Structure formats: C-alpha cells, structure tokens
Amino acid sequence: MKHKKRLYYSAILILIVLIGSFLYFKPTIKTMLVNKFRGRSYEKLVRIYVEKKEVPSDIIDNVKHISIKWKSFALSSNKKALQNTTVENKNVLITIETWPSFNAESTSVLDEVLKGSYDKEIKALANVVNLSKGSVFVRWNPEMEVPVKQYPWQYQSPSTYIDAFNYFSCHLKKLAPKVKIVWAPTGYPGDSEFWPGKNNFDLISIVLGSGGETLTNIYPSDLSDLDNLRFKLHRLRFMDKPVFILSADGMGNIKRTDSLLKKI
C-alpha cells in the first residue's frame, strides 16, 4: 500500500514538474516551432518605380505589408491570420523569412529549402493566395547581398541562394499562378551576383534605411539620400522590372521619395 502511495505522489510530482517546465519554456518553444506572423509597418512601401512611367499613389496606399517567419520544423503555421489579412485587404505584400527551428549555426536554411523542408508552408501559402481577389506580392528572404549575419540566408553562396529562390518561386507559381514574386535585395553593391534570372520573378524591391546596411562598413558611404537612391536604382538598370521602394523605420515617405525620383 505504501509503495502504491509513493508511486502515486511521485507521478503527481513529475506531472507538476512537466507542467511547470512547459509553462516556463513556452515562449522558447513557441519561438522555435511556430511560424511567426506580424505586420511589417516598419518597412513601408513608399513608391513603385517604373522607368519613364508614373504609378498612381492610390495603388501604393492600398498595399498591406506583412511578414511571416517560416521555421524548418513548425507545429503551427498561423494560417488563419494570413488568410484573414489576405482576404480583407485589396493588395498584400508578404515578406517570407526562412529560419531554422533550433538556431543551429551548422544548418543552412537555403539547403533546407532545396530539401523540401518548407514545401508544406509553400503549399499553404499558395492556398491563401488563391483566395485573394486582389494582388498578392511575395517577397522572399530579403537583403541577401548585404555582408552581415542579420539573417540566416546572408553570407551564403550566391549560387545556392539563386537555386533556393528559384525552387521557392517555381513551386509557388505552379500552385498559385497569379502570385507576383518579388526579388528583394536592398540595392547594395553586389546585388547582381544574386540575380535569379528574369523569368523567375515579377518585381524587385529595394530598401531605404536598411538595418543590415548600417551594420557593415565594407562599402562606407556618406552619400546623400538622393545619390543613395540613384545608385540603388542604377544597379538595377538592366533588369527591366518594376521596383518597390521600401522605407525602413521612417527613412522615407511617398512625398519625399517622389521628390527624389524627379531628380534622377
């Protein structure tokens, strides 16, 4: 009888410890295993640049920018939040970031893409895109050319990035033909090394005030905002695609960007 009581109380104690551990480590578990969905208002679309053509500002105003972090092993996808945002907004810009679930430095997220680790997420995204009555722009693993380690796909082989980008792009386009794929350098020197070929995407995005660029001094610059924007667009001059100009942390707005573009 005493033995049974001991087992009973031991089982209760173990259960309490397990519940306590789960509650204590819940934020960490969520970070590792849940695809994070959030608004990306800190990186605002301020202009769509098409050489020798003006894009109406109301198109820009009607684009909602959101972000999703995909984990290589995810137990929850936040699909409902993505679906609601896509259905409720006329046009949506979705920035996809691929991250390893367990933050292992030896894990290459680009290799994981090529192995099919994110195929389930690509399929779920395609299903949501197909529900939209407006335009859905998908921007994938941005700022890849900036030589810092802010994101796990930076400081990687350009050829591996290109292979992974085209794998993602082709799979998503096949499942959701109306999606618009955005190739997403910041416009930093060396971006053309990551060029995936003109048939694998529809638009380009660049970033004014990129956080990654402020972390590196490989190409130190004291350029004015006008010259900075001019050089970013100049590097893309042969790529013949519309360019989304994004402003990070309030570094630009529609009126000011328009003023700069008129001088270019």
Side-chain angles (χ1 to χ4, degrees):
M1 190 73 174
K2 286 183 179 178
H3 181 64
K4 283 186 177 180
K5 270 190 174 182
R6 252 191 236 110
L7 284 174
Y8 174 76
Y9 287 122
S10 295
I12 294 273
L13 181 61
I14 290 169
L15 183 61
I16 291 171
V17 169
L18 287 173
I19 292 172
S21 298
F22 174 77
L23 292 174
Y24 182 80
F25 289 108
K26 187 178 178 182
T28 303
I29 293 170
K30 186 175 180 181
T31 298
M32 291 191 301
L33 301 178
V34 175
N35 289 338
K36 186 178 180 181
F37 173 94
R38 63 174 177 169
R40 206 172 174 107
S41 58
Y42 62 88
E43 205 169 62
K44 186 178 179 182
L45 176 63
V46 292
R47 180 51 68 197
I48 303 172
Y49 175 75
V50 182
E51 191 173 5
K52 298 179 181 178
K53 184 178 178 182
E54 189 166 336
V55 178
S57 60
D58 63 321
I59 294 178
I60 300 161
D61 294 335
N62 287 321
V63 177
K64 171 83 171 176
H65 191 186
I66 60 173
S67 178
I68 304 174
K69 282 186 177 180
W70 281 353
K71 300 302 176 69
S72 54
F73 178 76
L75 298 179
S76 176
S77 66
N78 276 314
K79 179 182 175 182
K80 190 67 177 175
L82 174 61
Q83 183 174 310
N84 289 343
T85 301
T86 305
V87 171
E88 290 168 6
N89 290 275
K90 184 177 180 182
N91 302 307
V92 181
L93 171 60
I94 304 171
T95 293
I96 300 290
E97 300 179 0
T98 57
W99 290 77
S101 288
F102 304 104
N103 295 321
E105 286 195 13
S106 59
T107 302
S108 166
V109 291
L110 301 179
D111 287 338
E112 289 299 312
V113 171
L114 293 168
K115 288 177 186 174
S117 298
Y118 300 92
D119 283 4
K120 185 173 71 172
E121 280 75 19
I122 294 174
K123 185 176 180 180
L125 175 60
N127 290 338
V128 171
V129 170
N130 290 331
L131 291 174
S132 174
K133 294 180 180 177
S135 296
V136 180
F137 306 94
V138 176
R139 180 175 174 253
W140 187 83
N141 282 1
E143 305 195 25
M144 61 287 181
E145 85 277 26
V146 184
V148 294
K149 291 188 176 180
Q150 182 182 17
Y151 300 115
W153 54 86
Q154 290 175 320
Y155 253 130
Q156 302 290 319
S157 156
S159 62
T160 304
Y161 181 90
I162 290 168
D163 288 345
F165 180 95
N166 289 341
Y167 179 97
F168 167 82
S169 174
C170 291
H171 274 60
L172 183 57
K173 277 276 193 183
K174 183 177 179 181
L175 297 169
K178 74 174 186 176
V179 71
K180 303 296 183 185
I181 303 292
V182 182
W183 179 61
T186 67
Y188 197 73
D191 54 6
S192 59
E193 293 181 30
F194 296 83
W195 169 250
K198 66 178 183 179
N199 296 325
N200 296 310
F201 69 98
D202 304 284
L203 301 97
I204 301 171
S205 70
I206 60 173
V207 182
L208 303 177
S210 156
E213 289 187 39
T214 63
L215 297 175
T216 179
N217 60 1
I218 290 180
Y219 295 102
S221 172
D222 57 356
L223 293 174
S224 67
D225 290 344
L226 172 60
D227 285 337
N228 186 38
L229 179 56
R230 177 187 285 119
F231 283 126
K232 283 177 181 284
L233 293 173
H234 182 72
R235 293 185 189 105
L236 307 174
R237 65 194 181 282
F238 299 122
M239 299 183 184
D240 196 28
K241 300 280 185 177
V243 179
F244 278 1
I245 301 175
L246 301 174
S247 169
D249 293 327
M251 289 296 291
N253 55 53
I254 293 174
K255 187 175 180 180
R256 187 162 186 276
T257 306
D258 280 349
S259 175
L260 295 175
L261 287 173
K262 286 175 182 176
K263 299 173 184 177
I264 292 176

